[in-house]
């Protein structure tokens, strides 16, 4: 194995510069001509290493050099293996190589009981088919919370096509998990109906929905819609500290007299996170916010005084 690894290292050293030149230049000619099994293996590993930077047309050229059919057959064998690690490897490679002919196999594999394999399968399906099977992915992810929220959001980041209709369907469903996902993603993508959904969700009975609405609002910023802003600040006295904390973050982007008043009130909040985010947001408001923080240094309220001092000290040290 040591001798094989040395040979592979030597081949990689010989091929890599030309490989990088090919994928980063307009030139369609590549001088690498792998002939032996070991040389093809090294080329396959280089394709994986640089996959995110390889244009689709050049990926096809590289796969042809390493033997597209041979690679496809190997990935297919791994997918059908009873060994779960080989199956996961085959699933991953199917997505990385964008072998869309394997999409039906992966679509069926969404029914797996293995949550890790489910995530890898979903990721590969999206990489090869974009939004085509996104509904099926979301349905499986939502069953018994088989995926973490951040996992699903990371999958949505891979989708390049418009998915507003799918997110709207999630918002109209009765599934709390999908509603949270959809709300956050609507805000990230700045879709036209984001404000409507935020306004209808910010006073929801479920804390998770209220927080998701505020996260979406943070991504949108100040829309200039007074009714929308009034709905956002209506949660200022929410009983849940997480909601108040996220509102403090949202107000970082809304520089009004009302937002300043709420942030100054939050400097005396019982929860440290609320005070921390309020102080950061006040500082983001420029001179008005800094003046407010300086004034709070002389407050009789120890919480407000400490929070203001912490932010101003951090700023002074970073100058």
């Amino acid at each position: 194995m040591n001798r094989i690894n040395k040979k592979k290292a030597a081949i990689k050293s010989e091929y890599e510069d030309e490989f990088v030149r090919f994928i980063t230049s307009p030139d369609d000619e590549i001088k690498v001509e792998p002939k032996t099994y070991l040389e093809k293996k090294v080329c396959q590993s280089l394709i994986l290493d640089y996959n995110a930077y390889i244009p689709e047309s050049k990926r096809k050229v590289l796969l042809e050099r390493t033997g597209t059919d041979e690679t496809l057959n190997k990935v297919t064998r791994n997918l059908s293996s009873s060994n779960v690690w080989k199956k996961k490897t085959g699933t991953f490679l199917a997505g990385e190589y964008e072998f869309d002919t394997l999409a039906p196999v992966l679509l069926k594999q969404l029914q797996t009981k293995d949550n890790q394999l489910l995530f890898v399968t979903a990721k590969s399906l999206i990489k090869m088919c974009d939004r085509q099977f996104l509904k099926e992915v979301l349905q499986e992810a939502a069953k018994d919370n088989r995926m973490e929220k951040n996992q699903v959001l990371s999958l949505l980041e891979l989708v390049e096509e418009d998915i507003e209709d799918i997110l709207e369907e999630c918002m109209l469903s009765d599934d709390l998990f999908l509603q949270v996902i959809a709300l956050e993603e609507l805000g990230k993508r700045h879709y036209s109906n984001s404000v409507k959904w935020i306004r209808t969700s910010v006073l929801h009975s479920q804390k998770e929905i209220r927080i998701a609405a505020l996260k979406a609002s943070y991504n949108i910023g100040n829309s200039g819609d007074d009714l929308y802003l009034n709905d956002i600040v209506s949660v200022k006295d929410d009983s849940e500290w997480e909601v108040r904390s996220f509102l403090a973050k949202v107000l970082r982007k809304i520089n009004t007299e009302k937002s300043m008043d709420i942030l100054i009130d939050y400097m005396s909040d019982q929860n440290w996170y609320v005070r921390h985010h309020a102080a950061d947001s006040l500082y983001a408001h420029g001179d008005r916010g800094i003046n407010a923080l300086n004034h709070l240094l002389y407050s009789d309220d120890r919480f407000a005084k400490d929070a203001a001092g912490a932010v101003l000290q951090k700023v002074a040290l970073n100058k």
Side-chain angles (χ1 to χ4, degrees):
M1 287 303 300
N2 284 338
R3 289 197 303 184
I4 289 173
N5 286 334
K6 285 181 180 178
K7 285 187 176 182
K8 286 172 71 175
I11 295 169
K12 184 176 181 181
S13 176
E14 178 185 348
Y15 282 3
E16 193 161 21
D17 284 347
E18 172 60 16
F19 191 93
V20 172
R21 183 205 64 77
F22 173 67
I23 66 175
T24 57
S25 73
D27 188 0
D28 289 331
E29 292 294 323
I30 183 168
K31 298 174 184 176
V32 171
E33 287 283 356
K35 290 184 171 57
T36 68
Y37 175 77
L38 207 56
E39 288 172 345
K40 289 180 179 180
K41 288 285 287 183
V42 171
C43 275
Q44 288 171 3
S45 70
L46 285 170
I47 294 173
L48 280 178
D49 289 344
Y50 292 97
N51 187 64
Y53 310 101
I54 304 176
E56 186 176 349
S57 60
K58 294 197 173 185
R59 185 185 293 111
K60 289 179 180 178
V61 172
L62 292 168
L63 283 172
E64 287 170 1
R65 292 293 173 96
T66 60
T68 304
D69 291 340
E70 180 183 324
T71 304
L72 178 58
N73 289 338
K74 182 178 179 181
V75 171
T76 305
R77 286 197 304 272
N78 280 338
L79 276 175
S80 60
S81 173
S82 58
N83 183 302
V84 68
W85 294 109
K86 285 187 177 181
K87 189 181 287 290
K88 288 175 183 176
T89 300
T91 302
F92 171 76
L93 292 176
E96 292 300 298
Y97 290 137
E98 296 185 11
F99 286 149
D100 53 5
T101 56
L102 296 175
V105 178
L106 296 186
L107 187 60
K108 187 177 179 180
Q109 192 170 276
L110 283 177
Q111 307 300 319
T112 178
K113 303 295 184 184
D114 186 318
N115 288 353
Q116 188 181 56
L117 180 58
L118 171 62
F119 178 73
V120 179
T121 303
K123 186 175 182 180
S124 289
L125 269 174
I126 290 173
K127 291 195 77 169
M128 63 174 63
C129 303
D130 208 76
R131 62 160 275 164
Q132 185 177 353
F133 302 112
L134 183 58
K135 288 184 183 180
E136 290 84 351
V137 166
L138 291 174
Q139 287 168 3
E140 288 301 320
K143 288 180 181 177
D144 300 319
N145 290 346
R146 296 191 60 199
M147 287 191 203
E148 298 290 333
K149 183 187 72 172
N150 287 339
Q151 286 182 305
V152 181
L153 289 173
S154 73
L155 291 176
L156 292 178
E157 286 180 4
L158 299 174
V159 182
E160 296 180 0
E161 294 179 282
D162 179 20
I163 58 170
E164 187 171 9
D165 60 323
I166 296 177
L167 297 179
E168 293 263 349
E169 284 185 37
C170 291
M171 290 303 301
L172 293 170
S173 75
D174 295 325
D175 193 297
L176 182 68
F177 180 76
L178 289 180
Q179 288 175 0
V180 168
I181 297 292
L183 257 177
E184 291 195 29
E185 192 65 21
L186 282 163
K188 280 183 184 177
R189 293 182 178 240
H190 293 253
Y191 281 138
S192 57
N193 279 339
S194 300
V195 168
K196 178 195 78 173
W197 285 114
I198 291 169
R199 290 187 64 192
T200 59
S201 303
V202 76
L203 291 175
H204 197 279
S205 60
Q206 294 291 331
K207 173 181 73 174
E208 293 81 4
I209 296 290
R210 300 200 298 276
I211 291 173
L214 290 172
K215 286 185 177 180
S217 179
Y218 181 83
N219 283 312
I220 292 174
N222 190 349
S223 67
D225 182 335
D226 289 338
L227 292 175
Y228 162 70
L229 294 178
N230 286 337
D231 285 339
I232 293 300
V233 300
S234 66
V235 299
K236 64 183 179 65
D237 297 320
D238 198 282
S239 60
E240 301 288 350
W241 70 263
E242 296 99 326
V243 175
R244 301 195 305 276
S245 178
F246 275 106
L247 176 59
K249 290 181 70 174
V250 171
L251 295 181
R252 177 188 185 92
K253 297 187 174 182
I254 301 173
N255 194 345
T256 64
E257 289 293 337
K258 195 167 189 177
S259 69
M260 287 284 293
D261 290 341
I262 294 171
L263 290 172
I264 290 171
D265 284 344
Y266 275 179
M267 293 295 290
S268 302
D269 195 275
Q270 291 293 314
N271 185 272
W272 181 87
Y273 285 100
V274 179
R275 301 194 303 273
H276 169 71
H277 289 311
D280 277 347
S281 292
L282 278 172
Y283 181 77
H285 285 334
D287 291 341
R288 290 174 64 209
I290 293 172
N291 288 337
L293 288 170
N294 280 317
H295 181 73
L296 287 167
L297 289 176
Y298 303 97
S299 172
D300 293 332
D301 188 313
R302 181 174 59 84
F303 289 153
K305 184 176 181 178
D306 290 347
V311 169
L312 291 172
Q313 184 178 42
K314 182 176 68 175
V315 171
L317 288 172
N318 290 333
K319 281 186 176 179

